Each structure stands twice: as C-alpha cells, then as structure tokens.
Amino acid sequence: MTIIMNIARHRQEFNAMVAPKTLITGASTGIGAIYADRFAKRGHDLVLVARDLVRLETLAAKLRQETGVNVRYFGLI
C-alpha cells in the first residue's frame, strides 16, 4: 500500500511540473488582468508577463490565494 501511495504522489508531482500553463502577456492591468483572473478561476496554471512588476506580484499573490493555482510571473524592463 505504501508503494502505491508513493507512486501516486510522485505522479502528481510530475504532472504538476509538466502540466500545461496558460501564458498571458500584459497581465498587470486591463484585459490581461481580467483574462488572468478568469483562467485562474477555471483552474489553469498561469505564466504572467508584464512591465509593471509590483502590480504583477500583487496579482499573482491574489490569484494564488483565491484559486490555489500555480502562478509564475516575469516582469519586463
């Protein structure tokens, strides 16, 4: 039983690493932020890109807390 549980746990970890993610550009405000919110509420893991890093960090934290999805973000200079 323990072996089966360990295999299941590792499979879940692997699936989380390779699971498709939704890329949203311009995600810190406007339509990009709206799409990020909608996709997160539907359970999509996200990769967010925008120029305003502070807003991006705030949005990522909010989406993680509200929906539990994985959110990665990159700020552009």
Side-chain angles (χ1 to χ4, degrees):
M1 185 62 105
T2 303
I3 294 172
I4 293 171
M5 293 172 68
N6 284 335
I7 291 171
R9 188 187 82 218
H10 290 298
R11 180 177 292 146
Q12 287 174 340
E13 291 171 2
F14 176 77
N15 288 341
M17 289 188 311
V18 298
K21 300 193 179 4
T22 302
L23 173 66
I24 301 175
T25 60
S28 61
T29 61
I31 293 171
I34 291 169
Y35 271 98
D37 183 68
R38 289 181 182 175
F39 275 103
K41 287 179 178 173
R42 292 181 180 139
H44 292 260
D45 290 336
L46 304 174
V47 176
L48 307 178
V49 180
R51 289 181 291 186
D52 190 330
L53 187 57
V54 173
R55 285 185 183 172
L56 201 54
E57 290 172 337
T58 302
L59 178 62
K62 174 183 171 257
L63 295 175
R64 284 185 196 117
Q65 181 180 5
E66 289 179 359
T67 65
V69 299
N70 293 316
V71 181
R72 298 187 72 165
Y73 59 88
F74 301 93
L76 301 175
I77 311 175

